[in-house]
Amino acid sequence: MEPFYTALNAVKVLRSSVGHVFDTLGNGVRADHGEENKDNKFLLELQELLSTVNVNLRELDQAVNSLTPPPGPFNLGNSTYLTQECTLERQALYADLVKSYKWTDKVHEYGNLAVTLFSQNSLKRSYINSSSKRRRMQTSSHNVPPQTVDQVIGNIDRQFSDMSVTIQRPYATNAVLQITLGRILKAMAAFKGLMIEWVVVKGHGETLDLWTESRHKVFRKVTENAHAAMLHFYSPTMPELAVRSFMTWFHSYNTLFSDPCKRCGNHLHSALPPTWRDFRTLEPFHEECKP
Amino acid sequence: MGVTVLQQFPMVENRTGPQTIEFLTKRVVALGAVQTGQFLVDCETYMSVPNLGPQRTVHVVHNSEAPASVFAVLESGQRSVPLVADGLFDLLMQKMATIYSKKQPKIEAKGPRFEIADFCVKLGSVTMGQNFKGVLVEVEYRPCLVASSCWELVREFLQGFLGSVVPATPPPYLQNRMNELYQPIDTVNQYLEQFAQYRKATGVR
């Protein structure tokens, strides 16, 4: 790139000095040449300017010689036709070109940022791009026989007396859980093997399905937090533990409306009860109060 | 349909009914509530004619929150029998005019209705016949269906805009049903409980 810039610069300098020559010629003899020998002085000045042009031309020559010629003809695609239209105004392309250039620049920048972020993301749950060792572990949580899933879920169901869990299998072998937590709330959780893939929380009186949100703000918040929890507890090496921890955490919502926030001691904050439960201690907090 | 708590807001000397409603409206709006129209709960009371043995009373209640239903509560002695029917029940009562006759003026609560997050707040001014009787405040917490699990929360909310007039215990009707699933008829019964108090009282309360 460096020699190319030097060459372009040389062209610029040459143009400017040639321009200067014609400028001087056009002005002719000026008052500052004085009365005596004004013709000679003018000629001398012209000569000087022309020698500068010579010097600049030589510099350009050198710069051009140091450039490597392109290997073949450029393929400019449709943009070659641009040369056939010579008035710039009629193309009105400049603004668009600048815009798209800026856009590509931004895409490039964001792309770079995203790559660095994604490469350090520990919550990756997909099959793609992992070492052979890692892939073996992941298969163990995705690809579990239905009987094992039934057994794990059954154990969890027996563990909590006020939380009932029933298994449906509407989509082939993957389980969809219907969880009823006391008379407080209901939830649906879609599994892939022993990995929790999707959770929806709704009120006790609402109809339950996988795709629609609850009409109550508080349960929409709890759904959000449940998504955070399923990612937090996800563990490819110990899928059973992950499910059990999630369920224990989820069970703590049976006091959603009756427990005050651990931090501020109130029930309500912006008209919502404490919707957050700490992952370790299961203590209730408001969204705004959580540590 | 969630747990609803109905409570009266005591009137003070130098404030009229509309002024009280406006005063409470300002407080609720300051909490971030948005007005979502008006509401109306009305109650007609019918008495059985004397020659049919012991007297029975039927309260027929309409609630704008459940516009397709008519609620009826039959009182005979200590027992009360609730009934939820559709709009035709009103016509049926007219047919039974020879058995049940209207003796008491109609009593109703109406006013603005507000929503704030999952709460629904209604500020009703109670009128009996043409007379203003007082102000009732209804708060519904829609996500919760069991009163015992959210009473403290609702109380905190009520205190937020009513101040110290909020009692420490739930309304008497609700106290016996703290652990049951809340039904629309429970709201109606709370209104009847309050209306009965207004009937007894002379002047505003």
Side-chain angles (χ1 to χ4, degrees):
Chain A
M1 248 7 215
E2 197 51 48
F4 194 65
Y5 277 122
T6 345
L8 280 178
N9 222 26
V11 171
K12 213 159 64 186
V13 172
L14 180 64
R15 284 182 64 150
S16 132
S17 58
V18 170
H20 208 167
V21 168
F22 284 109
D23 227 29
T24 320
L25 266 178
N27 283 336
V29 182
R30 292 188 313 271
D32 58 309
H33 287 122
E35 278 304 308
E36 285 178 43
N37 285 338
K38 52 184 175 185
D39 296 350
N40 268 346
K41 276 184 184 165
F42 178 66
L43 280 176
L44 270 176
E45 192 188 342
L46 207 58
Q47 211 161 20
E48 223 168 86
L49 286 172
L50 283 171
S51 61
T52 327
V53 172
N54 254 334
V55 172
N56 287 341
L57 190 61
R58 222 170 302 134
E59 273 167 10
L60 177 64
D61 256 346
Q62 276 167 12
V64 169
N65 281 335
S66 69
L67 287 177
T68 44
F74 282 119
N75 185 11
L76 292 176
N78 283 340
S79 55
T80 32
Y81 300 119
L82 280 177
T83 48
Q84 314 211 331
E85 177 63 66
C86 49
T87 39
L88 275 174
E89 284 76 20
R90 283 183 59 183
Q91 294 159 356
L93 267 176
Y94 184 72
D96 287 343
L97 277 174
V98 170
K99 224 181 271 171
S100 63
Y101 177 75
K102 277 186 183 161
W103 194 80
T104 348
D105 220 33
K106 250 186 223 167
V107 168
H108 189 74
E109 197 180 316
Y110 290 164
N112 276 336
L113 283 175
V115 163
T116 37
L117 279 179
F118 284 144
S119 60
Q120 52 189 241
N121 184 4
S122 55
L123 294 173
K124 205 190 295 168
R125 284 150 61 98
S126 57
Y127 295 111
I128 331 159
N129 165 35
S130 48
S131 67
S132 60
K133 192 176 155 211
R134 177 104 190 244
R135 185 171 299 138
R136 184 154 30 86
M137 293 191 285
Q138 279 186 334
T139 338
S140 70
S141 79
H142 287 149
N143 210 355
V144 182
Q147 292 82 1
T148 323
V149 179
D150 284 359
Q151 204 187 335
V152 171
I153 305 294
N155 282 338
I156 292 168
D157 188 21
R158 277 189 292 279
Q159 195 181 341
F160 303 103
S161 57
D162 52 353
M163 183 164 83
S164 79
V165 183
T166 48
I167 303 175
Q168 300 166 346
R169 286 204 158 75
Y171 314 116
T173 55
N174 287 325
V176 174
L177 257 56
Q178 195 165 343
I179 309 166
T180 310
L181 186 57
R183 286 180 295 180
I184 302 296
L185 54 84
K186 290 197 242 175
M188 271 211 147
F191 275 67
K192 176 158 191 180
L194 266 178
M195 185 179 85
I196 310 173
E197 278 212 309
W198 184 251
V199 185
V200 181
V201 182
K202 287 195 169 189
H204 191 75
E206 291 183 273
T207 47
L208 210 52
D209 67 285
L210 269 176
W211 310 117
T212 50
E213 284 187 319
S214 168
R215 62 168 175 267
H216 303 300
K217 210 172 165 185
V218 53
F219 295 122
R220 292 202 291 267
K221 252 290 109 43
V222 175
T223 305
E224 243 172 60
N225 291 336
H227 287 169
M230 87 187 173
L231 291 172
H232 173 86
F233 290 122
Y234 170 67
S235 133
T237 39
M238 294 174 285
E240 198 182 319
L241 179 71
V243 176
R244 197 135 27 89
S245 318
F246 175 82
M247 288 301 191
T248 314
W249 176 86
F250 192 74
H251 175 255
S252 67
Y253 276 110
N254 65 345
T255 54
L256 175 63
F257 300 122
S258 42
D259 272 1
C261 168
K262 206 78 190 169
R263 164 76 70 83
C264 66
N266 290 333
H267 282 282
L268 295 170
H269 191 293
S270 41
L272 284 174
T275 47
W276 175 256
R277 294 288 188 273
D278 191 87
F279 289 136
R280 230 161 21 83
T281 58
L282 305 183
E283 285 169 339
F285 290 99
H286 288 124
E287 183 92 344
E288 295 82 355
C289 298
K290 76 182 179 198
Chain B
M1 184 75 235
V3 172
T4 306
V5 174
L6 185 71
Q7 94 142 76
Q8 68 127 352
F9 187 73
M11 298 295 293
V12 288
E13 282 288 319
N14 47 11
R15 214 187 269 152
T16 63
Q19 276 171 338
T20 310
I21 297 282
E22 199 178 321
F23 168 74
L24 290 175
T25 301
K26 266 189 198 142
R27 282 195 178 174
V28 178
V29 170
L31 283 177
V34 186
Q35 186 168 352
T36 49
Q38 304 278 323
F39 87 102
L40 168 70
V41 175
D42 66 54
C43 166
E44 300 260 24
T45 303
Y46 301 84
M47 308 283 216
S48 63
V49 290
N51 53 11
L52 275 171
Q55 187 163 59
R56 287 168 201 158
T57 317
V58 178
H59 303 284
V60 178
V61 180
H62 301 93
N63 186 350
S64 58
E65 202 69 11
S69 307
V70 176
F71 302 91
V73 177
L74 172 74
E75 280 174 7
S76 68
Q78 289 300 307
R79 288 198 318 133
S80 94
V81 184
L83 171 77
V84 185
D86 63 17
L88 287 175
F89 189 78
D90 284 331
L91 302 174
L92 192 67
M93 281 311 283
Q94 281 177 21
K95 291 275 183 210
M96 292 198 290
T98 50
I99 308 170
Y100 285 106
S101 61
K102 247 186 263 188
K103 285 276 165 58
Q104 288 181 342
K106 182 176 180 172
I107 186 163
E108 62 181 23
K110 67 172 168 190
R113 176 189 192 275
F114 300 89
E115 279 180 16
I116 166 169
D118 295 326
F119 287 95
C120 178
V121 181
K122 294 171 193 170
L123 307 173
S125 54
V126 181
T127 48
M128 193 162 90
Q130 296 300 316
N131 306 320
F132 174 75
K133 300 293 279 183
V135 171
L136 280 177
V137 178
E138 180 196 317
V139 166
E140 179 185 351
Y141 188 56
R142 285 175 294 182
C144 188
L145 293 178
V146 183
S148 60
S149 34
C150 70
W151 159 247
E152 283 298 322
L153 182 149
V154 174
R155 196 171 95 90
E156 191 180 302
F157 182 78
L158 276 164
Q159 271 174 336
F161 71 101
L162 297 182
S164 55
V165 300
V166 183
T169 50
Y173 173 81
L174 213 55
Q175 278 175 26
N176 301 323
R177 287 167 183 76
M178 290 300 274
N179 284 311
E180 281 165 46
L181 276 187
Y182 197 88
Q183 307 277 338
I185 190 81
D186 295 329
T187 308
V188 169
N189 272 313
Q190 285 189 59
Y191 269 102
L192 286 178
E193 196 176 71
Q194 289 290 345
F195 286 162
Q197 299 285 326
Y198 281 115
R199 282 218 173 83
K200 277 185 212 152
T202 50
V204 294
R205 183 163 84 97

